[in-house]
Amino acid sequence: MARPQLTAFEHVLLGLICSAPSSGYDLKRIFAATPMGIYQPSSGALYPALRRLELKGLVRAQSFDRAAPSVRHRRVYEPTPMGREAHASWLSTPVEAATVSRDLGLHLMRFVMMEHERPRGEVLEFLHNLTEALSAFVAELQRYTEVTELGAHARLALDHGLAVHRASLRWAEHTIAALSAKTPGE
Amino acid sequence: MARPQLTAFEHVLLGLICSAPSSGYDLKRIFAATPMGIYQPSSGALYPALRRLELKGLVRAQSFDRAAPSVRHRRVYEPTPMGREAHASWLSTPVEAATVSRDLGLHLMRFVMMEHERPRGEVLEFLHNLTEALSAFVAELQRYTEVTELGAHARLALDHGLAVHRASLRWAEHTIAALSAKTPGE
DNA sequence: AGTATCATGTAAGAGGTTACATGATTTT
DNA sequence: AAAATCATGTAACCTCTTACATGATACT
């Protein structure tokens, strides 16, 4: 079975299942509780996605709880070894400069999931990677504003892009410092 | 014909056509040239979307140029009066606090298209609206971080969200000041 | 004459949304 | 007993991506 590529949503689901065995309903509640319901997956997206992960052999469902025989009908998903491997490999995916802006939210999600799952060295490497990608993006935006003739509003909108990505960049640098300080030797 | 609601992509296309009659290929080049190809619509997305706009009576195509009889086969789209109306109405849509984070890019796009199309007073109103929505979002995030027990990485990721949205907020405030300064009386 | 670019489109397949369906269990 | 919540799922519809198809025109 060739390593099938997953959607961003599937990767996030797999990650959540790796951090704790969960049913579809559990996952729904996690999304609902998370810093505002920025993304609220519908049943029609969630349950088929879980079935796809199962079909690909990345998760496995227990339809009953051995402990309590009278539990409600629910399918609790656990990662398979292959699923854990796929998740780890996703966490270790390098940040691509070309898509750093588009995927920033996803990278942050990966960063959150790296805690306790990847060694500090790799987390720092990820952050350095992110810093470089953001620097490149900011530089390119900057260059574009200088080279191109633009309307007043278009220029202001680009200023916005520069401001927020510089804020991301500062965050990444600050976070490297904070995590490096925790343990003297990397 | 009840005012049919458009996708974000369709709204952007309509806006571009309102600012200058364009063919599908023209629009493709605009997306390609824009500050990095963050979004590069495929033919399979672009041409059907234009047909949908045409079907909804918002744009009209001229298949030939009256000026040059031997031009290449291209469909140049123009807005209909109904299309201009729909576009203006889209530009005037208020910013909703609940979705300001998700739709920020789209709002910026609207801001760019407002230039020369909406009076300065309305632009300032939009920016005030945006400021309030961003303030509310930042406050909610802040509250969430204070109330909730979080892992170290999750807390850092929320710090990122706070940092970038505060940057957006500062931009909006700065932009209000800049545009207000241009003409002394609002 | 051959290649690159212009220009528009379609077909297959994937995945999402909305809305509905279904039933068990817990709360009031 | 009724209502709310838990819990999973399906069906119809829409739009996107990828890949391919098709020709006309401009360049070399």
Side-chain angles (χ1 to χ4, degrees):
Chain A
M1 194 189 297
R3 194 173 300 272
Q5 56 192 8
L6 307 182
T7 65
F9 181 44
E10 287 168 344
H11 270 124
V12 171
L13 289 180
L14 178 57
L16 291 171
I17 290 168
C18 282
S19 81
S22 313
S23 68
Y25 204 77
D26 291 338
L27 294 166
K28 225 179 203 179
R29 266 185 283 124
I30 290 172
F31 278 101
T34 265
M36 295 204 41
I38 284 297
Y39 177 59
Q40 198 76 5
S42 59
S43 301
L46 182 59
Y47 292 106
L50 290 170
R51 292 306 184 126
R52 288 197 297 274
L53 288 176
E54 196 178 15
L55 216 76
K56 287 170 184 171
L58 302 173
V59 303
R60 186 186 301 119
Q62 310 167 229
S63 285
F64 55 91
D65 273 12
R66 31 199 111 180
S70 75
V71 286
R72 222 178 270 236
H73 172 219
R74 58 203 297 268
R75 296 171 60 80
V76 177
Y77 289 97
E78 280 180 338
T80 63
M82 217 175 112
R84 286 203 182 278
E85 203 184 307
H87 175 55
S89 149
W90 179 63
L91 289 185
S92 302
T93 305
V95 179
E96 282 181 56
T99 57
V100 68
S101 175
R102 198 192 57 192
D103 296 339
L104 196 49
L106 204 56
H107 291 317
L108 266 291
M109 193 116 255
R110 287 207 287 143
F111 172 73
V112 172
M113 291 184 173
M114 280 178 205
E115 191 172 8
H116 309 312
E117 292 198 52
R118 312 295 328 174
R120 178 163 322 238
E122 198 182 303
V123 174
L124 286 170
E125 193 189 318
F126 164 83
L127 288 170
H128 278 295
N129 208 219
L130 185 65
T131 302
E132 274 166 44
L134 283 169
S135 295
F137 184 78
V138 166
E140 191 156 352
L141 258 193
Q142 179 89 50
R143 203 193 115 281
Y144 183 84
T145 62
E146 286 162 7
V147 166
T148 315
E149 199 92 10
L150 289 165
H153 281 210
R155 187 161 296 277
L156 286 164
L158 281 178
D159 285 346
H160 178 272
L162 275 169
V164 300
H165 286 97
R166 282 190 182 125
S168 281
L169 186 52
R170 274 195 301 274
W171 173 86
E173 287 164 348
H174 175 270
T175 302
I176 288 171
L179 292 187
S180 297
K182 261 190 169 173
T183 41
E186 275 192 38
Chain B
M1 191 188 298
R3 196 172 301 271
Q5 54 192 8
L6 307 181
T7 64
F9 181 44
E10 286 168 345
H11 270 125
V12 170
L13 289 180
L14 178 57
L16 292 171
I17 290 168
C18 282
S19 81
S22 313
S23 68
Y25 204 76
D26 290 339
L27 295 165
K28 224 178 203 180
R29 265 184 285 125
I30 289 171
F31 279 100
T34 266
M36 294 204 42
I38 284 297
Y39 177 59
Q40 198 77 7
S42 59
S43 302
L46 182 59
Y47 291 107
L50 290 170
R51 292 305 183 128
R52 287 197 298 272
L53 289 176
E54 194 179 15
L55 217 77
K56 287 170 184 169
L58 302 173
V59 302
R60 186 187 300 120
Q62 310 167 231
S63 284
F64 53 93
D65 275 11
R66 29 199 114 179
S70 75
V71 286
R72 222 177 270 235
H73 172 220
R74 59 203 297 266
R75 295 171 62 81
V76 178
Y77 289 96
E78 279 179 340
T80 63
M82 215 174 115
R84 285 202 182 277
E85 204 185 305
H87 175 55
S89 149
W90 179 63
L91 288 186
S92 302
T93 304
V95 178
E96 284 181 57
T99 56
V100 67
S101 174
R102 198 193 56 191
D103 296 339
L104 197 49
L106 205 55
H107 291 317
L108 267 290
M109 194 117 255
R110 289 207 287 143
F111 172 74
V112 172
M113 290 185 174
M114 282 178 201
E115 190 172 10
H116 311 311
E117 291 196 53
R118 312 295 329 170
R120 178 163 323 236
E122 198 181 304
V123 174
L124 286 170
E125 193 189 317
F126 164 83
L127 288 170
H128 279 293
N129 210 222
L130 185 65
T131 302
E132 276 166 43
L134 284 170
S135 294
F137 183 79
V138 166
E140 192 155 352
L141 257 194
Q142 178 90 52
R143 204 193 114 280
Y144 183 85
T145 61
E146 286 161 8
V147 167
T148 315
E149 198 92 11
L150 289 165
H153 281 210
R155 186 159 297 275
L156 287 165
L158 281 178
D159 286 345
H160 178 271
L162 276 170
V164 300
H165 286 97
R166 282 190 181 125
S168 281
L169 186 52
R170 275 196 300 275
W171 172 86
E173 288 164 347
H174 175 269
T175 302
I176 288 172
L179 291 187
S180 298
K182 262 191 168 172
T183 42
E186 277 192 41

